[in-house]
Amino acid sequence: MAEQEASGLQVLLRTLQSSSDRESILTILQLLGDLLSGGTDRRIRYMISKGGSEALLQTLVDTARTASPDYDILLPLFRLLAKVGLRDKKFGQKALELEALDVTLILARKNLCHSQNLLHCLWALRVFAASVTTAAMLGINGAMELLFKVITPYTQNRTRIIRAATEVLAALLKSKSNSRRAVNRGYVVGLLRLHQDWHSHDTANTYVLIRRGLLLCLKHIAALRSGREAFLAAQGMETLFSTTQNCLDDKSLEPVISIVLQILRQCYPKSPLPLVTASSAYAFPVPGSVTSDPPCVLTEEDFEDDGDEEVDKDSDSEDVKEEDDDLETDVNKLTSKPGPDRPEEELRQYEAMCLELSCSFEDLESKPGDDLSFEETQYANHHHIPTAASLKRHCLSKDQLSWGQEREDTGRTSLLSTVKMGRSSVHLASGKAPGMNPYQNAQSSGLGIDSSGSEIPDIQAFLNEDAWDIDAMSCPRMSASFSNSTRPRDATEVINKLLQTHPQHIPFHDPCLYMAKARRTRSVADFKMMAFPDLWGHRPPPSAQPMLERKCGIQRIKIFEDIRRLLQPSDIINKVVFSLDEPWPLQDTASDCLRFFSKFESGNLRKAIQVREFEYDLLVNADVNNTQHQQWFYFRVSGMRAAVPYRFNVINCEKPNSQFNYGMQPTLYSVKEALLGRPTWIRMGHEICYYKNHYHQSAAVTGGASGKCYYTLTFAVTFPHDEDVCYLAYHYPYTYSALMTHLDILEKSVNPKQVYFRQEVLCQTLGGNSCPLVTITAMPESKSADHVEQFRQRPYQVITARVHPGESNASWVMKGTLEFLVSSDPVARLLRENFIFKIIPMLNPDGVINGNHRCSLRGEDLNRQWLSPRAHLQPTIYHAKGLLYYLSSIGRSPVTLPKILDKLAPAFTMSSCSFLVEKSRASTARVVVWREMGVSRSYTMESSYCGCNQGPYQGLQFGTSELEEMGAMFCLGLLILELKSVSCSHHLLTRAATLLNAEEEVLDHYLQRCSSSSSSITSELDDEPACLEEIDYSTDSSSDQEGSFSELDRQIQECAFNKEEGDEEEEGPGQGRKASP
């Protein structure tokens, strides 16, 4: 049947080419039209494969070259050509070879006054011009001059012809040679005048698509440097800005406004960032570092793109599917297990990090305070060791804690109950509109209520009567007194006084201990100050905050404001008010501008420029010894007025897109709010968007293969108090000193007779800081040989976090994991009794300390260094890998649960997981640990900065509570994974059955295992796919609507059904079709 169909189609096509009989040709064209009008594109592509394009083009050439061309044949032939040509990627080349371009241009010139014939010629030209090569040839043959005869100033006549002509011209101008020709012949000025004329007269927006076609012509010309220069010289920026600025909210003009924005952004003069160098403001001399060359001056040549003509992308490789370069195809690499990257005798050093396998338990009993220095032990008597149960009390001293029995976490909901509820107790406050100021209920009098319900004194009166300087107090020095205070005090005394007058009850945090830890933390810039939120602590808000509802059109509004800054600079202040590159101080305390500061741990703000009275451009610092990775920010701002919206523009971000475009807000911490009893980081900001700006650095400056574009994060903040001191951050900060404080307090909170908690140093970092290694398990039931043996045979779980400093959310998840593992929760107790946890909570302490976003002090991504780390260059990775090698060498490879977490954790989604291995990630921890050490379940768990789009937390932004809950759920997932495994011991199953008996209905459908059949167990083990050596790549496609031919298809279809139409029926104001947005 298929052969008969093929032979029938081929007969028709051969007859069409060879026949000179008019009726036969019309009949065949009618048959082909009927055949292709129904069904899908499959019929058209089949016809193309049988030579249909060549047959139609040859018929066109033969018919057009007769003495008197028959338009009864030509018009249906043009319709078929347009329909087929849209689907034939080589159509332009075929038309060029068969000389169809010339005859079509000749026919168009002959029919300038005959609308219907001209319209069909334009349709064919539109399809020919889809090929850049063919478009260039049409330009050489005078196609653009012909079109400018058709495109006239505003008229209500021949509008279908004018619209078709603008579309053909826009397609032709995709060719660089045609765009250069248009610039040289002065077409830019003409196109701008035509646009102005149609815009001013088309008040009913009837001919939006004609206006859009004219703008597309300008857009393609502006792709060339010479085109941009001509556009600017013709006052194009001013013209488009003035004609569009009052139409931004008109949805019927969406097709026009979107193109105007693209042109304005394209032609906005490129400029370098207002920085003295692209390199980080901080430099750290490390082995193997490369000194950067002095910055080069950026010139317009850096954006030169008037190169040779483009090549048609699909002309010669239509049926070739490119193989992705990132796909690993070497079977040997996939199946072989490389040996250790160091001598085996070197692994013996890690035996000292696994003392739980050899030492006697008399020696291993935890003795809180053993590892503390004198300056820390002097605060030991008033360490705050709060739990959820102690939020209503001030604190418990170390001596008050009884180790005879585990402390009761009476205020904490058990993890299994949380699973049963489906979400934590944190809820969305009712009646709070998205974007509403979370501080709106703060009492204007300055009085506050703390978490216990007690009234806190008037903070402003307290500050005034005691001669406090809130600016100095909000960022205290580590060891010196407050310089602006009339009565100098030691920093510890100041904090104690604050704690007495404004008591805070924050679990697992102690300001005095934090201060002691911060003094020992070493930074590149030798920070002398501490950020108040890190010192004072953070308590999660009582309710989750919704994702910010994005204001419609906010991005284009902000872009137009940027363009207004260029065109109307009269109100621009452009004053540098803070800079790490300038001598300090820059800020005039008497001025009305905001005051900025970022020289504290994890801080990142390099420069602040006052643009207008309440608007500031901010630049964040690149990673140390790098010119890249500007994304993380954390800085102090003061001197504000309440109820005044301030706009901040972070203008040197690097990522092409951001969660800030999808409902995420920055975080804010108010010192006055903290002293009023609300020490909380909250999501804050409105009118938020993230978009590409006009800043650019050349390849010579950045040291890359090509120049770099930058992006702006813009947001507005309304501060809760006058003359407050606030901190703004990309995400909830979590510093290295906070981690070290947390670990010490955790160690003192556990019962050493029941919980084995050991804190030691994995290695020293390049910056001279200790990288902590934590071991958590349960003490053996007794010192009998059997119990000690059971203790030592427990499998290992190795967990690492925070290899990328800007991912502070990882530390909050790790905090939840650590606190849960040492808690009295039954699941935690069961985990401790059956596993030994080796935890490296911060793999990149130096990066975290110095405010980096991605890198170490060497300026390299540590998660790309696992293949061949070196001890003197990447010490934390080298020793973390060494520890894993050691465990593997003694037969204790860690077993490191996606589907389980998908069911347990409200904030986890299986659909977003990837279990694939690409070449570009061959040096990451996940791949190296899997490949070199045979750990089949080696995962990287990623956390969103923003929130959830599914599950119980859908529509909510993550707070620290949700992140910590994810850490606890991760632990539960580990337990369930072990219960589902073949190797699960009878002892663990028995204990788990006892524990879960009361909660059987909670986890019943998660733990459908209790079959003794090994086959059923094996099937359950496949709860997620293994590491796959393939990846589903989605092409980086941009939806260019001008490239879609669906509208042309529609026009052709309408014309085909209108059998009796003669000359074109003109489109008047009531007949034109408005474009839908």
Side-chain angles (χ1 to χ4, degrees), residues 192-227:
L192 278 170
R193 287 175 180 169
L194 284 169
H195 166 71
Q196 279 184 290
D197 187 67
W198 280 90
H199 176 82
S200 59
H201 289 91
D202 184 24
T203 55
N205 296 333
T206 305
Y207 306 114
V208 169
L209 294 180
I210 293 177
R211 292 154 63 184
R212 181 177 185 269
L214 293 170
L215 289 169
L216 283 173
C217 296
L218 288 169
K219 173 190 169 185
H220 296 319
I221 292 174
L224 300 182
R225 178 174 58 86
S226 56

Short mmCIF file of all heavy atoms in Angstrom, two decimals, residues 192-227:
data_model
loop_
_atom_site.label_atom_id
_atom_site.label_comp_id
_atom_site.label_asym_id
_atom_site.label_seq_id
_atom_site.Cartn_x
_atom_site.Cartn_y
_atom_site.Cartn_z
N LEU A 192 12.82 54.25 11.50
CA LEU A 192 12.38 54.96 12.70
C LEU A 192 11.22 55.90 12.38
O LEU A 192 10.24 56.01 13.15
CB LEU A 192 13.54 55.74 13.32
CG LEU A 192 14.50 54.95 14.19
CD1 LEU A 192 15.73 55.78 14.53
CD2 LEU A 192 13.81 54.50 15.48
N ARG A 193 11.30 56.59 11.24
CA ARG A 193 10.22 57.49 10.85
C ARG A 193 8.93 56.72 10.57
O ARG A 193 7.83 57.16 10.95
CB ARG A 193 10.64 58.29 9.62
CG ARG A 193 11.69 59.36 9.92
CD ARG A 193 12.16 60.03 8.65
NE ARG A 193 13.15 61.05 8.93
CZ ARG A 193 13.89 61.65 7.99
NH1 ARG A 193 13.75 61.30 6.71
NH2 ARG A 193 14.77 62.58 8.32
N LEU A 194 9.06 55.58 9.89
CA LEU A 194 7.88 54.77 9.62
C LEU A 194 7.24 54.30 10.93
O LEU A 194 6.02 54.33 11.09
CB LEU A 194 8.26 53.56 8.76
CG LEU A 194 8.51 53.83 7.28
CD1 LEU A 194 9.13 52.61 6.61
CD2 LEU A 194 7.19 54.19 6.58
N HIS A 195 8.09 53.86 11.88
CA HIS A 195 7.56 53.41 13.17
C HIS A 195 6.84 54.55 13.88
O HIS A 195 5.73 54.36 14.42
CB HIS A 195 8.69 52.88 14.04
CG HIS A 195 8.29 52.71 15.48
ND1 HIS A 195 7.43 51.72 15.92
CD2 HIS A 195 8.61 53.45 16.59
CE1 HIS A 195 7.24 51.85 17.22
NE2 HIS A 195 7.94 52.86 17.65
N GLN A 196 7.45 55.72 13.92
CA GLN A 196 6.81 56.87 14.57
C GLN A 196 5.48 57.19 13.94
O GLN A 196 4.49 57.49 14.62
CB GLN A 196 7.73 58.09 14.50
CG GLN A 196 8.83 58.13 15.55
CD GLN A 196 9.62 59.42 15.46
OE1 GLN A 196 10.36 59.63 14.50
NE2 GLN A 196 9.46 60.27 16.44
N ASP A 197 5.43 57.15 12.59
CA ASP A 197 4.21 57.50 11.88
C ASP A 197 3.09 56.51 12.19
O ASP A 197 1.97 56.90 12.51
CB ASP A 197 4.50 57.54 10.38
CG ASP A 197 3.31 58.05 9.58
OD1 ASP A 197 2.99 59.24 9.72
OD2 ASP A 197 2.70 57.24 8.85
N TRP A 198 3.39 55.23 12.11
CA TRP A 198 2.37 54.23 12.40
C TRP A 198 1.97 54.28 13.87
O TRP A 198 0.79 54.10 14.22
CB TRP A 198 2.89 52.83 12.04
CG TRP A 198 2.80 52.54 10.57
CD1 TRP A 198 3.74 52.79 9.62
CD2 TRP A 198 1.68 51.97 9.89
NE1 TRP A 198 3.30 52.40 8.38
CE2 TRP A 198 2.02 51.89 8.51
CE3 TRP A 198 0.43 51.50 10.28
CZ2 TRP A 198 1.16 51.37 7.55
CZ3 TRP A 198 -0.44 50.98 9.32
CH2 TRP A 198 -0.07 50.92 7.97
N HIS A 199 2.91 54.51 14.77
CA HIS A 199 2.60 54.57 16.20
C HIS A 199 1.68 55.74 16.52
O HIS A 199 0.72 55.59 17.30
CB HIS A 199 3.89 54.69 17.01
CG HIS A 199 3.65 54.83 18.49
ND1 HIS A 199 3.41 53.76 19.33
CD2 HIS A 199 3.60 55.95 19.29
CE1 HIS A 199 3.22 54.19 20.56
NE2 HIS A 199 3.34 55.51 20.56
N SER A 200 1.95 56.88 15.94
CA SER A 200 1.16 58.07 16.27
C SER A 200 -0.24 58.02 15.68
O SER A 200 -1.18 58.57 16.26
CB SER A 200 1.90 59.33 15.79
OG SER A 200 2.09 59.27 14.38
N HIS A 201 -0.40 57.36 14.52
CA HIS A 201 -1.71 57.33 13.89
C HIS A 201 -2.55 56.13 14.30
O HIS A 201 -3.79 56.20 14.26
CB HIS A 201 -1.56 57.33 12.35
CG HIS A 201 -1.09 58.64 11.80
ND1 HIS A 201 0.25 58.95 11.61
CD2 HIS A 201 -1.78 59.74 11.39
CE1 HIS A 201 0.37 60.16 11.11
NE2 HIS A 201 -0.84 60.67 10.97
N ASP A 202 -1.92 55.05 14.66
CA ASP A 202 -2.66 53.84 14.99
C ASP A 202 -3.11 53.87 16.46
O ASP A 202 -2.70 53.07 17.29
CB ASP A 202 -1.78 52.61 14.72
CG ASP A 202 -2.52 51.29 14.95
OD1 ASP A 202 -3.76 51.29 14.85
OD2 ASP A 202 -1.84 50.28 15.23
N THR A 203 -3.96 54.82 16.78
CA THR A 203 -4.38 55.02 18.17
C THR A 203 -5.27 53.88 18.67
O THR A 203 -5.35 53.65 19.88
CB THR A 203 -5.14 56.35 18.30
OG1 THR A 203 -6.23 56.37 17.37
CG2 THR A 203 -4.21 57.53 18.01
N ALA A 204 -5.92 53.18 17.77
CA ALA A 204 -6.79 52.07 18.18
C ALA A 204 -6.01 50.75 18.26
O ALA A 204 -6.60 49.71 18.54
CB ALA A 204 -7.95 51.92 17.21
N ASN A 205 -4.72 50.81 18.00
CA ASN A 205 -3.87 49.61 18.03
C ASN A 205 -4.40 48.51 17.11
O ASN A 205 -4.39 47.32 17.44
CB ASN A 205 -3.74 49.07 19.46
CG ASN A 205 -3.04 50.06 20.37
OD1 ASN A 205 -2.25 50.88 19.91
ND2 ASN A 205 -3.35 49.99 21.65
N THR A 206 -4.83 48.93 15.93
CA THR A 206 -5.36 47.98 14.95
C THR A 206 -4.24 47.29 14.18
O THR A 206 -4.37 46.12 13.81
CB THR A 206 -6.29 48.71 13.96
OG1 THR A 206 -7.30 49.39 14.70
CG2 THR A 206 -6.92 47.73 13.00
N TYR A 207 -3.16 48.00 13.97
CA TYR A 207 -2.09 47.48 13.11
C TYR A 207 -0.82 47.22 13.92
O TYR A 207 0.28 47.61 13.54
CB TYR A 207 -1.82 48.45 11.97
CG TYR A 207 -3.07 48.79 11.18
CD1 TYR A 207 -3.60 50.08 11.19
CD2 TYR A 207 -3.74 47.80 10.47
CE1 TYR A 207 -4.76 50.38 10.49
CE2 TYR A 207 -4.89 48.09 9.76
CZ TYR A 207 -5.41 49.39 9.78
OH TYR A 207 -6.56 49.66 9.09
N VAL A 208 -0.99 46.58 15.04
CA VAL A 208 0.13 46.28 15.93
C VAL A 208 1.18 45.43 15.22
O VAL A 208 2.38 45.64 15.40
CB VAL A 208 -0.38 45.57 17.20
CG1 VAL A 208 0.78 45.00 18.01
CG2 VAL A 208 -1.19 46.54 18.06
N LEU A 209 0.75 44.49 14.40
CA LEU A 209 1.71 43.58 13.77
C LEU A 209 2.55 44.28 12.70
O LEU A 209 3.68 43.86 12.45
CB LEU A 209 0.98 42.38 13.18
CG LEU A 209 0.31 41.47 14.22
CD1 LEU A 209 -0.39 40.30 13.56
CD2 LEU A 209 1.34 40.96 15.23
N ILE A 210 2.03 45.32 12.09
CA ILE A 210 2.86 46.11 11.17
C ILE A 210 3.92 46.86 11.96
O ILE A 210 5.11 46.89 11.58
CB ILE A 210 1.99 47.09 10.36
CG1 ILE A 210 1.07 46.31 9.41
CG2 ILE A 210 2.86 48.09 9.59
CD1 ILE A 210 0.12 47.19 8.60
N ARG A 211 3.52 47.46 13.07
CA ARG A 211 4.48 48.18 13.92
C ARG A 211 5.52 47.21 14.46
O ARG A 211 6.72 47.54 14.53
CB ARG A 211 3.72 48.86 15.06
CG ARG A 211 2.83 50.00 14.57
CD ARG A 211 1.66 50.27 15.50
NE ARG A 211 2.06 50.70 16.82
CZ ARG A 211 1.21 50.92 17.82
NH1 ARG A 211 -0.10 50.75 17.61
NH2 ARG A 211 1.65 51.31 18.98
N ARG A 212 5.10 46.02 14.81
CA ARG A 212 6.05 45.03 15.30
C ARG A 212 7.04 44.63 14.21
O ARG A 212 8.24 44.47 14.47
CB ARG A 212 5.29 43.80 15.78
CG ARG A 212 6.19 42.70 16.34
CD ARG A 212 5.35 41.55 16.87
NE ARG A 212 6.19 40.54 17.51
CZ ARG A 212 6.71 39.50 16.88
NH1 ARG A 212 6.48 39.33 15.58
NH2 ARG A 212 7.47 38.61 17.52
N GLY A 213 6.55 44.47 12.97
CA GLY A 213 7.44 44.12 11.87
C GLY A 213 8.52 45.18 11.64
O GLY A 213 9.69 44.85 11.41
N LEU A 214 8.14 46.45 11.73
CA LEU A 214 9.12 47.53 11.58
C LEU A 214 10.16 47.48 12.69
O LEU A 214 11.36 47.70 12.46
CB LEU A 214 8.41 48.88 11.58
CG LEU A 214 7.49 49.14 10.37
CD1 LEU A 214 6.65 50.38 10.60
CD2 LEU A 214 8.32 49.29 9.08
N LEU A 215 9.70 47.19 13.91
CA LEU A 215 10.63 47.11 15.04
C LEU A 215 11.57 45.92 14.90
O LEU A 215 12.75 45.99 15.27
CB LEU A 215 9.85 47.02 16.34
CG LEU A 215 9.13 48.31 16.77
CD1 LEU A 215 8.17 48.03 17.92
CD2 LEU A 215 10.14 49.38 17.17
N LEU A 216 11.08 44.80 14.36
CA LEU A 216 11.95 43.65 14.14
C LEU A 216 13.07 43.98 13.16
O LEU A 216 14.20 43.50 13.31
CB LEU A 216 11.13 42.46 13.63
CG LEU A 216 10.31 41.71 14.66
CD1 LEU A 216 9.41 40.67 14.00
CD2 LEU A 216 11.21 41.03 15.68
N CYS A 217 12.75 44.81 12.17
CA CYS A 217 13.79 45.25 11.23
C CYS A 217 14.89 46.00 11.98
O CYS A 217 16.08 45.76 11.78
CB CYS A 217 13.17 46.13 10.15
SG CYS A 217 11.99 45.28 9.08
N LEU A 218 14.48 46.91 12.86
CA LEU A 218 15.46 47.67 13.65
C LEU A 218 16.24 46.75 14.59
O LEU A 218 17.45 46.93 14.78
CB LEU A 218 14.75 48.76 14.45
CG LEU A 218 14.21 49.94 13.65
CD1 LEU A 218 13.29 50.80 14.51
CD2 LEU A 218 15.35 50.78 13.09
N LYS A 219 15.57 45.77 15.15
CA LYS A 219 16.24 44.85 16.07
C LYS A 219 17.36 44.09 15.36
O LYS A 219 18.47 43.95 15.90
CB LYS A 219 15.22 43.87 16.64
CG LYS A 219 15.84 42.76 17.49
CD LYS A 219 14.82 41.69 17.82
CE LYS A 219 15.52 40.48 18.44
NZ LYS A 219 14.60 39.36 18.67
N HIS A 220 17.11 43.61 14.15
CA HIS A 220 18.13 42.85 13.43
C HIS A 220 19.29 43.74 12.99
O HIS A 220 20.45 43.33 13.03
CB HIS A 220 17.51 42.14 12.24
CG HIS A 220 16.50 41.11 12.61
ND1 HIS A 220 16.67 40.24 13.67
CD2 HIS A 220 15.27 40.81 12.09
CE1 HIS A 220 15.61 39.46 13.77
NE2 HIS A 220 14.75 39.78 12.83
N ILE A 221 18.98 44.96 12.62
CA ILE A 221 20.05 45.89 12.25
C ILE A 221 20.91 46.20 13.47
O ILE A 221 22.14 46.30 13.39
CB ILE A 221 19.46 47.19 11.66
CG1 ILE A 221 18.80 46.89 10.30
CG2 ILE A 221 20.53 48.26 11.50
CD1 ILE A 221 18.06 48.07 9.70
N ALA A 222 20.27 46.33 14.64
CA ALA A 222 21.00 46.67 15.86
C ALA A 222 21.86 45.52 16.37
O ALA A 222 22.63 45.70 17.31
CB ALA A 222 20.01 47.08 16.96
N ALA A 223 21.76 44.36 15.74
CA ALA A 223 22.64 43.26 16.12
C ALA A 223 24.08 43.55 15.69
O ALA A 223 25.01 42.92 16.19
CB ALA A 223 22.17 41.95 15.49
N LEU A 224 24.27 44.50 14.78
CA LEU A 224 25.60 44.91 14.34
C LEU A 224 26.05 46.16 15.09
O LEU A 224 25.24 47.02 15.44
CB LEU A 224 25.61 45.21 12.84
CG LEU A 224 25.22 44.08 11.87
CD1 LEU A 224 25.34 44.58 10.45
CD2 LEU A 224 26.10 42.87 12.10
N ARG A 225 27.34 46.25 15.31
CA ARG A 225 27.87 47.46 15.95
C ARG A 225 27.56 48.69 15.11
O ARG A 225 27.12 49.72 15.66
CB ARG A 225 29.37 47.33 16.16
CG ARG A 225 30.01 48.58 16.80
CD ARG A 225 31.48 48.34 17.12
NE ARG A 225 32.24 47.98 15.93
CZ ARG A 225 32.78 48.88 15.10
NH1 ARG A 225 32.63 50.17 15.33
NH2 ARG A 225 33.48 48.49 14.06
N SER A 226 27.76 48.59 13.82
CA SER A 226 27.46 49.74 12.94
C SER A 226 25.97 50.06 12.98
O SER A 226 25.58 51.24 12.89
CB SER A 226 27.90 49.44 11.51
OG SER A 226 27.29 48.25 11.04
N GLY A 227 25.13 49.04 13.13
CA GLY A 227 23.69 49.29 13.24
C GLY A 227 23.33 50.01 14.53
O GLY A 227 22.50 50.92 14.54
#
